[in-house]
Amino acid sequence: MKRIFNFSAGPAILPLQALEKAASELVNFNNSGMSIMEVSHRTPLYENVHNETLQLIREILSVPAEYDILLLQGGASSQFFMVPMNLIKDNMIADYVISGSWSEKAIKEAKILGKKVNIAATSKETNFDRVPSTFNFTKDACYVHITSNETIQGVQYKKFPDTNGVPIIIDASSDIFSYEIDWKNIGLIYAGAQKNAGPAGVTIVIIRKDLYERESDNIPTMLRYSTHAKENSLYNTPPVFSIYMVNLTLKWLKSIGGIPGIKKINEEKAKLIYDVIDQSNGFYKGHAVKENRSTMNVTFTLKNPELESKFIKESEAKNMVGLKGHRSVGGMRASIYNAMPIEGCKLLADFMRDFIKNNA
Ligand code: PMP
């Protein structure tokens, strides 16, 4: 069997160990004679998977007791409206920090709802090559929304802003489970699973329980956080297979040392590629400023854009796919999420070096 190094931004590479385990029990889960997809979500057979997944998330991220963990659907994109719908009360105002394409999408949905929002900072004027470092926060804002890793631009916070006690809401879709979270001041974290946590179809939401008090009566039942919290995320049929895959992915993460283990590996992986960019004498140019470079999505352009299609074609011949950058940044994007083995990054770094030699 040939596995490929998949540098796609999402859906993205999954740990081989998790895929193999799923394959081995696909038609007969736990000797039940059924696949996990065919099991009622109201039976212990599924409930054990569900509760174990919640427990793994709590354990790996050290989630304190005052937070609930919810497993929802609708992708991170649905959190763009669920967050303001549930957490901005009446005429109150919420702050947004705009650091790239995904935070722009997040604020847009709050505005569609007619909510009052303030852009506390933006790095648009430098084409989102960094996260903002000075902020104009509203006193008594409902929350401050940030995007911890901008998947398209490849910029990532190394430290979250000090919001003076205002709860921070984090879209961590593309870097959850890659760093420890300091829970002080965190109101809510959300993430679509399809990068670091598993396949698409389930969205992880971690919410501080006191925030339910803000809900108003006109929010549809399915769109209230409290509905899912009260029912242990079993109010309606959950995406059982996606949750099962998150379970296997997190067991793999735990087996390699959890967050401290993966953090070290990810830093090494990112360094391999950024070093080639930095030592290329301008052949490659990183999109993000060094201080905000993402350890998840390495974005770079080629000095000669005419070489881009050649780069893609030759990388594919060397067993690497998904390197084409997003059209809004251009160039290349190497997504090197948790499940990307260090061998994939070594192969890419060597390829990039050889590509200079052959084309400079
Ligand atoms: N936020 C970020 C940072 C993302 O990278 C993505 C998806 N690439 C989303 C939100 C949207 O997620 P979904 O496709 O699950 O709605």
Side-chain angles (χ1 to χ4, degrees):
M1 181 199 58
K2 180 183 158 201
R3 284 282 289 171
I4 211 158
F5 290 114
N6 174 13
F7 291 92
S8 166
I13 189 168
L14 287 167
L16 182 59
Q17 197 176 307
L19 292 171
E20 284 177 337
K21 173 83 173 149
S24 76
E25 54 192 22
L26 187 69
V27 294
N28 185 10
F29 177 69
N30 259 4
N31 274 331
S32 64
M34 297 178 274
S35 103
I36 186 73
M37 286 176 278
E38 301 164 292
V39 171
S40 162
H41 61 294
R42 309 273 177 217
T43 57
L45 198 55
Y46 173 70
E47 278 168 354
N48 287 342
V49 173
H50 189 88
N51 291 331
E52 190 182 52
T53 309
L54 292 168
Q55 188 47 41
L56 281 161
I57 298 170
R58 192 169 290 280
E59 185 185 334
I60 291 172
L61 291 179
S62 305
V63 181
E66 59 267 35
Y67 292 78
D68 280 326
I69 302 169
L70 313 177
L71 301 173
L72 308 184
Q73 299 187 61
S77 301
S78 294
Q79 294 310 306
F80 294 166
F81 62 83
M82 272 182 78
V83 165
M85 191 183 259
N86 283 271
L87 304 185
I88 306 181
K89 240 189 145 169
D90 306 325
N91 260 341
M92 287 175 75
I93 191 161
D95 280 346
Y96 279 74
V97 180
I98 310 298
S99 51
S101 308
W102 288 109
S103 37
E104 282 190 317
K105 288 200 172 176
I107 194 172
K108 183 171 159 236
E109 298 301 305
K111 286 180 184 165
I112 288 174
L113 290 171
K115 298 288 187 181
K116 274 201 210 158
V117 288
N118 165 53
I119 295 181
T122 175
S123 49
K124 198 177 177 81
E125 64 278 4
T126 55
N127 198 17
F128 299 129
D129 65 347
R130 66 197 66 203
V131 300
S133 51
T134 53
F135 307 93
N136 181 14
F137 291 130
T138 310
K139 196 176 165 282
D140 302 325
C142 295
Y143 59 77
V144 175
H145 181 283
I146 66 169
T147 307
S148 53
N149 183 68
E150 288 283 358
T151 321
I152 291 176
Q153 282 79 12
V155 298
Q156 187 177 33
Y157 287 84
K158 301 300 159 184
K159 192 174 171 283
F160 297 140
D162 179 2
T163 57
N164 219 349
V166 172
I168 305 180
I169 311 294
I170 305 176
D171 174 0
S173 293
S174 51
D175 66 356
I176 192 167
F177 298 119
S178 72
Y179 49 85
E180 278 124 353
I181 292 166
D182 174 4
W183 289 95
K184 194 164 108 358
N185 282 347
I186 304 287
L188 182 152
I189 294 183
Y190 64 90
Q194 66 272 18
K195 291 117 171 30
N196 263 350
V202 59
T203 309
I204 298 168
V205 172
I206 308 175
I207 176 171
R208 210 173 66 199
K209 294 176 189 176
D210 62 281
L211 297 181
Y212 302 132
E213 287 164 18
R214 301 180 180 196
E215 277 179 16
S216 65
D217 295 339
N218 58 1
I219 301 175
T221 313
M222 264 301 281
L223 300 184
R224 290 171 189 230
Y225 292 120
S226 65
T227 301
H228 301 283
K230 273 184 221 140
E231 302 291 334
N232 192 30
S233 300
L234 289 164
Y235 170 74
N236 70 322
T237 317
V240 292
F241 192 74
S242 297
I243 292 171
Y244 160 76
M245 284 305 300
V246 170
N247 179 296
L248 298 182
T249 303
L250 294 183
K251 278 183 185 152
W252 163 80
L253 180 56
K254 210 174 136 180
S255 77
I256 60 159
I259 304 287
I262 198 69
K263 205 170 151 196
K264 196 165 158 280
I265 298 169
N266 283 341
E267 276 160 15
E268 265 178 66
K269 278 156 54 183
K271 186 172 185 308
L272 284 167
I273 304 169
Y274 284 122
D275 278 355
V276 180
I277 295 172
D278 292 343
Q279 293 157 10
S280 72
N281 271 326
F283 187 93
Y284 302 114
K285 184 176 178 300
H287 175 75
V289 298
K290 282 191 185 171
E291 312 80 76
N292 297 143
R293 279 172 165 176
S294 170
T295 52
M296 298 283 113
N297 312 94
V298 180
T299 47
F300 59 97
T301 50
L302 276 68
K303 188 163 80 183
N304 178 1
E306 279 164 23
L307 287 172
E308 281 175 12
S309 54
K310 190 170 181 223
F311 184 100
I312 296 293
K313 212 165 142 228
E314 290 182 10
S315 62
E316 284 173 356
K318 290 225 156 15
N319 212 26
M320 294 175 279
V321 295
L323 285 164
K324 192 169 166 42
H326 191 274
R327 59 194 177 279
S328 59
V329 178
M332 306 296 150
R333 170 173 52 174
S335 296
I336 51 172
Y337 299 121
N338 286 358
M340 171 60 69
I342 193 154
E343 291 73 25
C345 296
K346 281 187 186 147
L347 185 68
L348 176 60
D350 288 345
F351 167 76
M352 286 171 69
R353 258 191 223 100
D354 289 345
F355 195 81
I356 302 176
K357 265 191 236 142
N358 299 333
N359 295 283

